[in-house]
Amino acid sequence: MINVSRIVNDPRFSQQFKVFRKSGEWVRGRFEEDEKEIEMNGVITPAKPKEIEMIPEGDRVGGEISIHSTNKIYTTHALNNENDEEINEGTSDEIEWQGERYKIYQVSDYSQYGYYYAIGMRLVSC
């Protein structure tokens, strides 16, 4: 397998972006979330029509991006500790890029090639 992580992290291609990772737990019938800000590097580009077709929301084109990163990006998930015991739940990561926030809708694990690929959809600003 060819490891392309050097290209994904190359400063000529990559850029820094913020990931907002939310995790939480159920407390008295309510899901209480905590948000943690994480700095990451990767390649972000506007999503192409072919990439948008891959997500269920593909018929709602409105500011999707594709993200290539060597760091794992999550959709709604359960976090596990070293003993593979579920310790926390989290909702999809959100990414801030060029002053806009995007929610991650799909993640593809290409770690055998040294990176992860995700599609994010722009969130409506309030």
Side-chain angles (χ1 to χ4, degrees):
M1 300 281 169
I2 297 173
N3 187 328
V4 296
S5 62
R6 287 182 58 195
I7 296 168
V8 172
N9 287 326
D10 188 316
R12 293 175 289 182
F13 297 109
S14 71
Q15 54 198 290
Q16 196 168 42
F17 58 92
K18 293 178 186 174
V19 173
F20 296 93
R21 183 151 301 150
K22 297 178 182 180
S23 62
E25 60 186 338
W26 289 97
V27 177
R28 295 187 181 136
R30 265 192 183 176
F31 191 69
E32 294 185 6
E33 285 185 313
D34 293 321
E35 183 175 83
K36 183 168 86 171
E37 185 177 316
I38 305 166
E39 293 285 334
M40 287 189 188
N41 285 318
V43 178
I44 299 179
T45 60
K48 298 176 184 91
K50 190 77 166 169
E51 294 169 322
I52 296 169
E53 289 175 9
M54 296 167 50
I55 60 174
E57 292 78 15
D59 60 342
R60 289 189 272 150
V61 178
E64 293 79 15
I65 57 172
S66 60
I67 304 112
H68 298 80
S69 177
T70 55
N71 300 97
K72 192 160 188 176
I73 300 171
Y74 293 97
T75 56
T76 300
H77 60 285
L79 297 175
N80 297 327
N81 65 12
E82 295 171 2
N83 299 326
D84 208 28
E85 299 168 347
E86 189 175 306
I87 57 169
N88 222 344
E89 295 179 50
T91 57
S92 295
D93 286 347
E94 293 179 7
I95 290 180
E96 184 178 303
W97 180 65
Q98 295 186 345
E100 299 276 350
R101 241 179 165 173
Y102 298 82
K103 186 172 187 168
I104 300 302
Y105 278 90
Q106 179 178 341
V107 176
S108 299
D109 182 353
Y110 294 116
S111 57
Q112 70 268 26
Y113 300 108
Y115 72 100
Y116 296 89
Y117 168 73
I119 296 176
M121 184 176 285
R122 186 174 57 211
L123 296 172
V124 177
S125 301
C126 296

